[in-house]
Amino acid sequence: MTARRSLPLLVALLFAAASLHADAADSAEAAALLKFKNMIADPEGKLGSWVAGTEPCGGDGKGKGEWNGVICDDGNLHGLQLENMGLSGMLNVSVGALRELPDLRTLSFKDNQFSGPMPEVKNFAGIRNIFLSNNKLSGEIPDDAFQGMGSLKKVDLSSNEFSGPIPTSLARVPKLLQLRLDDNNFSGTIPDLRQKGLNLLNVSRNELEGKIPDGLRNVKEAFFDGNKNLCGEAVGNPCATPTPTPPQEPTPPQQSPGEKSIPVLALMAVASGGTIVVVGAIVVAVKRRREDVEVLGQPMSSRNSKKYTSFPEEKLERGALVKYEGSASGRKTGMAAGGSDQGRLVFVKEGRERFELQDLLRSSAEVLGTGNFGCTYRASLLNGPSVVVKRSRDMNRTGREDFEEHMRRLGRLSHPNLLPLVAYYYRKEEKLLLHDYVPNRSLALMLHGNGGSNHPMMFDWPVRLKIVKGVARAMAYLYEELPMLGVPHGHLKSSNVLLGESLEPLLTDYALVPVTNQSHAAQFMVAYKSPERKQFGRTSKKSDVWSLGMLILEILTGKVPAHDTQQGKESADLVDWAISATREERAGQVLDSGMSRTGNAEGEMLKLLQIALACCEERVEKRWEIKEAVEKIEEITEGGGDHSSTASELEASSSKPAAADDFSSIAIN
């Protein structure tokens, strides 16, 4: 009887033990995910369903789990799909918490703000898919980063800031099917990827060089775009063969000073005191050295048409998806849709007088300047207006179709304080952007003079306030019309603010981050000089606000900011200087002496100074949004009338309780 009674009890105990084991397993999964959550930032609360005391794979245990972004199958957690949630943090640190999930097969953190180096993934032995695209990950990836990952099939690291060589351990991943490394800063050669199942490879818009492995000869040419020094059958660019060193020739006779060799463009410039013929300037600028291109406008010879099946390319930051057809026929389709072909100007501004490329080539041109983004010419058409032609070799971040779509988007913009894009000319290695010519030149020249003069042109407070307001309105418009861009302008500085006939500001070189090579943008664009870029390796929506604040400080002080080394003058850290002066109750001393101070003008100037400092706040979370900055700027007046407010009075008032419309929220550090 005792044995018979103990049997049900034993069965019950076994069932209880199994249940406890299952609960422990579930609790371990929840603990691992909660640990991961606590190590990252979730400002939008997208992981609000991750709550202690609940289970990730609750409910029926199939498909999506109870916790947002958790993928389950038969009650087991198989994947994390945390995409486009605004998450941030050091992924290389936080991802270690996920090693407690033995059944994890997919990790997707696409379209977030994660930063830091490549997370260590080789310890996830069973992982099959890794998607980290469109984050702020950076640095070199260890060569053995993918060592021993026998189950790995898909890897997407595109649109980050990785640098250094592509890890050769990827060549030893036996089941690799898809690999996307595009839009990074990878350098060196491409590993010899010989996986038979590999059906997608994209390494475009990096800094790769050397011979493309023979096993990749059938990869579409578009997936190698933007790597200027690659050669091989896949890109139709034969690799140079080593040639024997020729016998050393006798040293030629020394030239006299009057016989020095001068580049062709320089000879043209000297010929007429700085005026050259565009047929020389632009043909030399855009003419390809490839053997299959002999004159400007000739199409490239056809390439190997046997390519992989196309796949959706992510379009300009985080916009909609388009199909990029890399074959010759695909390119023709894109050109027809865009209204362009090789050798033609494409007009994107409606209602503008059209002219042909040959009209441009026959016109005379004046070199306006050479900057970090190429050379700028003023072309005077024989039977038409003058246009400005900007030539760039650093706009290879996207393929042709995406580039043309972005140019059409810019052509649709219309604001009184934006210099409109009129037309463009596309070649794989050269781009020309055409704008209207503005006679008054730039704000930088008005502020700092020309040629390093010690006597800059002075203009008074009403004009400067008018310029600030126009710039702010244009920035607000860009934010509204281009919400898909992380930094809608990206390169706001005084030399990119032109002045019209009535000294109204006209912004130029805006919205070019999506088409500009990442390495070039990081080195030269103003938004990439922001504090968050220096501290965390990434820009933000407020990087343009910081640029606006720096520009306002430059306008108020007449000083060149430290990040702008092109002005040819001693630069200053305007933010530290202005903050120091404000603390020491001498804020009025930072204002340019060339500004008028009638009536209450100085009080209004100092209010604008505080707005500028709020826009330049180092901590992104405390920096103003563009909308708030524009609203405060619009409240500033010229300060006319009999009621004056001196700098000392304004500074003295800073110790009094703040009124509702005071700038008490400005954090000055």
Side-chain angles (χ1 to χ4, degrees):
M1 290 294 294
T2 304
R4 290 180 181 177
R5 286 188 190 135
S6 62
L7 184 60
L9 178 61
L10 178 62
V11 172
L13 289 174
L14 289 174
F15 276 115
S19 177
L20 287 173
H21 178 75
D23 290 344
D26 288 343
S27 298
E29 288 181 345
L33 292 179
L34 290 173
K35 182 179 179 181
F36 171 78
K37 177 186 176 183
N38 291 334
M39 298 173 73
I40 65 174
D42 178 24
E44 299 177 19
K46 294 297 180 67
L47 304 183
S49 58
W50 293 26
V51 179
T54 62
E55 294 302 332
C57 293
D60 59 8
K62 298 180 180 179
K64 290 188 176 181
E66 291 291 304
W67 290 14
N68 188 22
V70 173
I71 306 300
C72 302
D73 185 21
D74 292 331
N76 296 319
L77 193 157
H78 279 187
L80 289 180
Q81 191 174 2
L82 310 181
E83 301 176 358
N84 196 23
M85 293 184 174
L87 306 176
S88 62
M90 302 293 286
L91 194 59
N92 63 311
V93 176
S94 55
V95 80
L98 303 178
R99 293 173 188 163
E100 304 299 322
L101 305 175
D103 297 324
L104 196 61
R105 298 292 179 264
T106 296
L107 278 176
S108 183
F109 301 120
K110 295 166 58 176
D111 301 317
N112 283 291
Q113 297 292 321
F114 286 114
S115 58
M118 176 73 187
E120 192 170 342
V121 294
K122 64 181 180 181
N123 293 326
F124 293 84
I127 204 77
R128 297 175 183 173
N129 308 300
I130 299 173
F131 304 114
L132 306 178
S133 61
N134 277 306
N135 279 281
K136 302 296 182 180
L137 302 174
S138 60
E140 295 191 10
I141 301 177
D143 196 56
D144 64 347
F146 301 94
Q147 193 70 36
M149 302 188 74
S151 301
L152 189 61
K153 295 182 178 181
K154 298 179 181 180
V155 178
D156 186 353
L157 308 181
S158 62
S159 297
N160 280 285
E161 298 168 13
F162 290 119
S163 58
I166 297 174
T168 59
S169 54
L170 282 167
R172 299 187 291 276
V173 176
K175 297 182 180 180
L176 190 63
L177 301 177
Q178 298 181 6
L179 177 60
R180 290 197 59 182
L181 305 176
D182 43 303
D183 286 303
N184 280 284
N185 300 314
F186 286 112
S187 58
T189 58
I190 301 174
D192 192 6
L193 302 168
R194 293 181 174 271
Q195 292 92 335
K196 292 183 179 179
L198 186 64
N199 57 40
L200 189 155
L201 172 69
N202 191 341
V203 295
S204 60
R205 297 176 293 280
N206 280 285
E207 299 173 7
L208 300 170
E209 60 185 5
K211 186 178 186 297
I212 298 173
D214 292 337
L216 305 178
R217 66 169 62 92
N218 291 329
V219 175
K220 295 166 67 172
E221 180 184 353
F223 298 160
F224 296 109
D225 279 355
N227 296 282
K228 298 180 181 179
N229 297 318
L230 284 178
C231 62
E233 185 177 342
V235 292
N237 179 27
C239 296
T241 55
T243 56
T245 303
Q248 189 171 359
E249 296 290 338
T251 303
Q254 183 69 31
Q255 290 179 324
S256 64
E259 297 173 336
K260 287 184 179 179
S261 297
I262 302 177
V264 174
L265 284 178
L267 284 173
M268 294 178 180
V270 172
S272 57
T275 300
I276 64 174
V277 179
V278 175
V279 70
I282 296 181
V283 170
V284 173
V286 301
K287 185 173 181 180
R288 300 284 295 274
R289 294 184 178 180
R290 300 271 284 273
E291 293 179 358
D292 56 341
V293 180
E294 295 182 1
V295 295
L296 185 66
Q298 269 193 335
M300 296 170 56
S301 61
S302 60
R303 305 288 188 221
N304 184 354
S305 59
K306 185 180 179 182
K307 306 292 182 185
Y308 287 142
T309 304
S310 65
F311 70 104
E313 283 281 2
E314 289 193 358
K315 186 181 189 181
L316 298 177
E317 302 268 334
R318 296 174 184 161
L321 296 177
V322 296
K323 295 284 187 178
Y324 183 92
E325 300 295 339
S327 65
S329 61
R331 282 193 294 270
K332 289 178 182 178
T333 301
M335 287 184 285
S340 67
D341 54 28
Q342 292 283 359
R344 293 178 63 88
L345 291 175
V346 182
F347 283 81
V348 294
K349 199 65 181 174
E350 294 294 334
R352 300 305 296 265
E353 180 182 352
R354 305 298 177 94
F355 51 87
E356 300 295 333
L357 179 64
Q358 293 303 318
D359 297 326
L360 191 64
L361 297 180
R362 285 193 292 266
S363 64
S364 62
E366 173 190 357
V367 178
L368 297 179
T370 302
N372 294 324
F373 285 82
C375 197
T376 303
Y377 309 92
R378 174 192 176 185
S380 301
L381 299 172
L382 296 178
N383 296 310
S386 294
V387 294
V388 171
V389 182
K390 292 191 175 184
R391 165 204 174 198
S392 177
R393 293 180 177 176
D394 297 290
M395 291 186 182
N396 298 317
R397 186 172 179 178
T398 64
R400 177 169 187 145
E401 289 190 359
D402 281 356
F403 181 89
E404 292 187 333
E405 171 59 28
H406 192 59
M407 292 301 106
R408 289 194 292 270
R409 181 184 290 117
L410 298 189
R412 291 192 292 268
L413 297 177
S414 179
H415 189 275
N417 297 116
L418 288 181
L419 185 68
L421 176 66
V422 175
Y424 69 89
Y425 176 90
Y426 179 95
R427 269 197 191 278
K428 181 177 177 181
E429 296 177 359
E430 303 276 0
K431 312 294 184 297
L432 301 181
L433 304 183
L434 276 64
H435 300 268
D436 290 324
Y437 174 68
V438 180
N440 281 341
R441 304 291 180 89
S442 72
L443 173 62
L445 285 172
M446 291 289 285
L447 283 171
H448 311 300
N450 196 2
S453 170
N454 293 322
H455 303 286
M457 299 173 64
M458 300 296 184
F459 55 115
D460 61 13
W461 162 243
V463 173
R464 299 194 199 203
L465 179 60
K466 174 183 178 180
I467 292 172
V468 169
K469 288 187 174 182
V471 170
R473 292 164 186 164
M475 293 294 289
Y477 175 79
L478 289 175
Y479 268 69
E480 181 179 351
E481 294 297 316
L482 303 174
M484 77 293 294
L485 301 188
V487 277
H489 193 292
H491 202 35
L492 180 64
K493 59 178 183 175
S494 59
S495 57
N496 285 337
V497 179
L498 305 182
L499 300 177
E501 293 182 1
S502 302
L503 297 183
E504 71 278 8
L506 299 167
L507 272 58
T508 185
D509 282 5
Y510 50 85
L512 296 181
V513 170
V515 296
T516 301
N517 299 352
Q518 280 192 325
S519 59
H520 199 80
Q523 185 175 0
F524 296 112
M525 281 191 162
V526 175
Y528 288 79
K529 311 298 180 184
S530 61
E532 58 269 27
R533 172 70 186 191
K534 294 179 180 179
Q535 294 176 8
F536 309 113
R538 63 178 183 269
T539 56
S540 72
K541 278 283 188 182
K542 294 184 180 180
S543 296
D544 269 338
V545 178
W546 177 85
S547 303
L548 174 62
M550 293 301 300
L551 179 66
I552 296 173
L553 284 178
E554 184 178 356
I555 292 172
L556 286 174
T557 65
K559 303 291 184 182
V560 179
H563 65 76
D564 192 346
T565 58
Q566 285 191 305
Q567 297 293 344
K569 291 189 173 187
E570 183 180 354
S571 60
D573 191 327
L574 299 184
V575 177
D576 288 347
W577 180 44
I579 290 175
S580 176
T582 302
R583 284 176 173 171
E584 298 171 10
E585 298 187 356
R586 51 181 181 85
Q589 295 179 18
V590 305
L591 301 175
D592 191 345
S593 59
M595 289 192 294
S596 61
R597 281 165 168 74
T598 58
N600 191 34
E602 186 167 295
E604 296 299 296
M605 294 175 195
L606 291 172
K607 286 183 180 179
L608 186 58
L609 177 64
Q610 293 190 19
I611 293 173
L613 292 176
C615 292
C616 293
E617 166 62 50
E618 184 174 357
R619 293 166 295 181
V620 178
E621 68 275 11
K622 291 185 175 295
R623 192 181 305 160
W624 284 1
E625 300 284 351
I626 187 67
K627 182 179 180 181
E628 183 178 8
V630 173
E631 288 176 352
K632 293 294 185 182
I633 290 170
E634 292 289 357
E635 294 174 4
I636 303 294
T637 68
E638 295 181 10
D642 297 330
H643 301 286
S644 63
S645 177
T646 64
S648 59
E649 290 172 343
L650 187 68
E651 290 152 359
S653 68
S654 62
S655 60
K656 300 176 182 178
D661 59 348
D662 280 345
F663 299 91
S664 55
S665 61
I666 301 174
I668 300 179
N669 297 310

